[in-house]
Structure formats: C-alpha cells, structure tokens
Amino acid sequence: MCIPSSIAVATEKSKDNGENVLPVKVAELTPPETEKSNASAKYNSATRATTEKSRDNDKHVLPVKVAVRIRPAAERSNVPANSNGTARTAALHLGRQASSCVRALSDTSIIISAATGENCSKRAKFGGMRNKFVDMTTEPRTFDVDYAFGPHARQTDIFNTAVAPLLTCFVEGYNATVFAYGQTCSGKTHTMGTGLNINSASIDTMGIVPRALQWLFSWAQTSTTATHNVALRAGIEIRISFIELHNEDLVDLVAQPQAHNSKSTITIRNDAHGNVIWNGIKEVAVTSAKSAMDILRNGSRMRQTSATRLNAVSSRSHAIYTVKLTQTQARKSDSDKNAKPVRVISKLHFVDLAGSESLKKTLEVGERRREGISINSGLHALGNVILALSNARGNTITHIPYRDSKLTNMLRDSLGGSAQTLMIACVSADKTNLAESANTLKYAARARNIKNRGGVQLKATVCSPEDEIETLRATVRQLEEK
C-alpha cells in the first residue's frame, strides 16, 4: 500500500506506548564524567547510529516485490523450414520444455524439481547453502513469492496484478523500478516488451513497458477530446530517456542517432542526499504515448542483439528505459496563499537485463564470448548486492558492493535505496536449465528480504533557471512602470 503524498510529515510510533508523537531532533550525547568500559562504548556508538537513522522520519519501508514467470514452451512445428541453423537450434532448444521442472503451485508459490527423465540424476546448487547440493530427485524445493505466473499466464495478467499497483505509487510521487532477471532465452524481453517486434505486437502480446506508457498517458492527458491535439494536464511534465550498458560502456540510445560516432560521456555519481545521478543522458519531453513508444522502438532497434546457439535474438546488453514525471502541486499544508507550489519528481525505471549464459552451452567465441563474460560479470555483481542486502539485519552496517560494476551502481536506488521495486524472475521450465532456474529462484527469494526506504520527492523550486530569470525580468519591468 502506498502512503499518500499529501502527508507532509510522518509520525513515529513510540516503542513504549504506541502513541503517535511528533518527530524531534536528536541531540548530541553528553560524554559521561566517568570512564566507560569497552562494552559501554560500543553500546553508545550503536545508539548514536540508531538515532541518526531515526532522523529520516519521512522515509517509509518499501519491501522489494518479487514475481516469477515460467516461460511457456515453444512448439517444434513452429520452426520455419528455411531458417538458419542458429535460429533452428534456439527454437528446438525451447521445444524440449514438454517435461517441465518448474511449476506454479499457487498464486504465490513456485516448486522446482527434476521429477523423472534422463536428467533425473542432475543436482542443482541453490537455496543459499554454500558447498552443499540439493538432490532434486528427492528434495524438490518450494519458493514463496509475491506473484507466481505459470506458462499460460497472459501479458495483461502480469501487468494488472504486479505492475499496475506500482504505477499508482509512481504517480503519487514515489520512485519505482521494474526489472526482469533470469537466464538467456527465459522470456525477459518478451515480458518487458522491449524487443524488436514492438510494431507487430497485438493487444494480447504487448509487454509491460508499452502497457505502462498507455496507462500513464491515459492518467496524465486531458479528458477533453474536442480536438485532435493531445496535451498533458496542467502542471505535468513527462520526459523519457533510454540507455544500454554494453561491455561496461554506457550508450545513450536517444542521443546516439544525432552523434553516432561520438564517445559516450555518461557518468554516474551520488548527490549530497545519496541519490543516484546520471549525468550526460538526453531526456526528451513527450506529450503522448505514441511519442514515448517511438523512443522505445528506435532505441530497441539500436540495442546490441545477436543470434546465439540458445537464442535467435539474444540481448547483448542491459537496457534501462526511464520515465521521469514532474508534477507541480500547491502546498496543501501552508496557510500562506502566496506560497509557491512545489514540484513532485518521481522516476520509473524499466530494466531489461541481458540473460546469464553458460559458455559451455553457447560455445561462443570471439566477440560473442567477450559479451557473455561481461554479462555474467555484471549479473554476478548484482547477485552479490542482492545477497549483501538480504543478509543485512536491523541497524547492522554492512558493506554493499555497489561499485563492483556500473550495473549495480546505476541500480543503487532500486536495491537498498528509495525506490519501490518489482523484480520479475523469468525461468525456463526445460529440465536442461534446471541449475539456472534454481539459481534464479534463489536470488528472487533473497531479493524479497530487501527493504528499501523512500518517500515522495519534493522540491520547492518549481521553475527552471530560464523561467526564473524571465519571471525576475517581468518583475523588474513592472516595478519600472510604476
């Protein structure tokens, strides 16, 4: 449940009597006159760390939500007779999913088991146990998640159940992230809707991003239909950016057509408040879902893709499509009628991660092998961040290895930061992918333990520097006329 943005200051519940009290500033602890023992000194240090965290009274606990989607099986008869060898290999690889090792027990639970067949003796390392193996023939494993979607789940079911609640929070002023995680050829790009077949997608096969754009502009646009001119409601601005991370190089998919041969100047830094700032990224203001879809379509065409032995159209880079929403609102709590309105700024990231690859299966060489190693390296760093965050307990200070890769550094706000995050774990039901599917479910289970802390982002300055200068000039002209 989202906390309304109209709440100006949050209250804390007293641990003693449960009554609501106003937040207070934390005073410095006075050093005692007598010498304290080492144990007491450690206690005071922990107390100070706790009181420092209690200052964030406007922050609310935002647990990471996890959805699991089982990729539907492909039919062998759908393989074109005149397709090349790589495409046929990828399609036939999917066609072996007749005997699945993963299935949804309910709307919130997934079971994985080797069951029977030629691979029944396979053992998969998963479940968070180091140096131990679980025999999948005798010990099937059940995972509890927030949303479980079987192979027959429709795109609209996934959007309405898991994504639509996140969009409601987004338009209220909260940052949000939706990212797809899983091995190669598990259906991540299809689920997100960022593939090359955006134009041919029907209403039934349309992915999360196009559906979210339609939902957002339906909410943001004016209700009048007297003219064909589409406009956003007053006080609303929507800007779009689209980037990819290929071999640890950041590429702007919006600015690239204008500067195809120019070197990327995108940098990542943190501001004084700990927020992640992406510098050098081009943002385009849009007023309709069509304009936003054009950016998605053109960027998806330029994204690095290639055919592999496991996937005919394999994504060779991580892609992040960002929607920045700025809402100008009046101050509801101020008695001064002349008080300037505030800007509520929220960002929505759609992250389509490249799939992890087993080099023993892909047998790639050269550039494809280098790309696979880079992809696995970034996903390994992401797994380490998820592990560190899931093991963090209470006020314990734990090192989170965000800087091990650009991917984790960019997702810092989404994992352990201030965003409301939905992780969609895509798994293959093919028993040859048993170990990869078990590993994906393991990290999905760990991600559920991550607790973000965030709130509505408010800024008192509502005008750009140019608008502010123009306003001051108009004031000067009025004074001169008097």
Side-chain angles (χ1 to χ4, degrees), residues 114-289:
T116 59
E118 59 180 358
N119 296 304
C120 64
S121 61
K122 278 187 173 289
R123 295 168 180 260
K125 184 197 304 183
F126 75 110
M129 294 177 289
R130 185 173 298 177
N131 299 327
K132 291 185 179 180
F133 290 85
V134 177
D135 189 348
M136 299 301 298
T137 61
T138 59
E139 299 182 33
R141 180 71 183 273
T142 302
F143 293 88
D144 293 326
V145 295
D146 295 288
Y147 314 101
F149 300 100
H152 302 294
R154 300 176 300 171
Q155 297 278 64
T156 182
D157 297 332
I158 297 174
F159 176 81
N160 293 334
T161 304
V163 182
L166 205 67
L167 294 179
T168 302
C169 297
F170 169 62
V171 298
E172 288 180 359
Y174 289 85
N175 292 332
T177 299
V178 180
F179 73 95
Y181 179 91
Q183 72 170 112
T184 184
C185 207
S186 59
K188 300 180 299 299
T189 300
H190 171 72
T191 300
M192 296 297 291
T194 56
L196 300 177
N197 60 341
I198 299 176
N199 291 332
S200 60
S202 64
I203 190 64
D204 295 327
T205 60
M206 187 184 300
I208 288 175
V209 179
R211 292 179 187 273
L213 293 176
Q214 290 185 354
W215 186 98
L216 176 63
F217 283 95
S218 176
W219 167 85
Q221 289 173 348
T222 56
S223 58
T224 59
T225 57
T227 63
H228 294 287
N229 296 329
V230 180
L232 301 180
R233 287 188 279 114
I236 293 180
E237 181 186 41
I238 298 177
R239 305 183 75 88
I240 303 294
S241 63
F242 196 10
I243 63 174
E244 72 170 347
L245 178 61
H246 178 247
N247 287 341
E248 285 298 297
D249 291 330
L250 290 171
V251 180
D252 194 331
L253 297 177
V254 177
Q256 193 179 37
Q258 289 77 18
H260 184 71
N261 296 324
S262 62
K263 187 177 180 180
S264 174
T265 58
I266 301 175
T267 58
I268 310 169
R269 66 177 182 86
N270 298 92
D271 62 10
H273 303 286
N275 299 316
V276 180
I277 305 298
W278 303 351
N279 289 330
I281 295 178
K282 183 176 181 180
E283 295 181 343
V284 179
V286 294
T287 58
S288 66

Side-chain angles (χ1 to χ4, degrees), residues 86-99:
T86 302
R88 290 183 60 81
T89 300
L92 293 176
H93 169 75
L94 295 177
R96 293 196 298 265
Q97 295 186 17
S99 179

Side-chain angles (χ1 to χ4, degrees), residues 360-407:
K360 293 181 179 180
K361 290 184 179 181
T362 60
L363 302 177
E364 297 296 337
V365 295
E367 182 64 21
R368 298 289 83 80
R369 183 181 181 88
R370 178 170 172 261
E371 289 173 343
I373 293 174
S374 177
I375 291 170
N376 289 342
S377 177
L379 294 177
H380 178 71
L382 178 62
N384 289 338
V385 168
I386 292 175
L387 176 60
L389 289 171
S390 64
N391 289 336
R393 293 292 182 269
N395 297 323
T396 304
I397 299 177
T398 305
H399 170 67
I400 310 299
Y402 288 114
R403 296 187 179 274
D404 285 0
S405 74
K406 289 184 179 179
L407 175 64

Side-chain angles (χ1 to χ4, degrees), residues 12 35 91 182 188 210 220 254 267 299 321 324 328 340 401 411 427 471:
E12 292 183 333
E35 185 72 16
K188 300 180 299 299
V254 177
T267 58
Y321 183 89
K324 181 180 178 181
T328 304
K340 290 185 177 181
L411 296 180
V427 296
T471 301

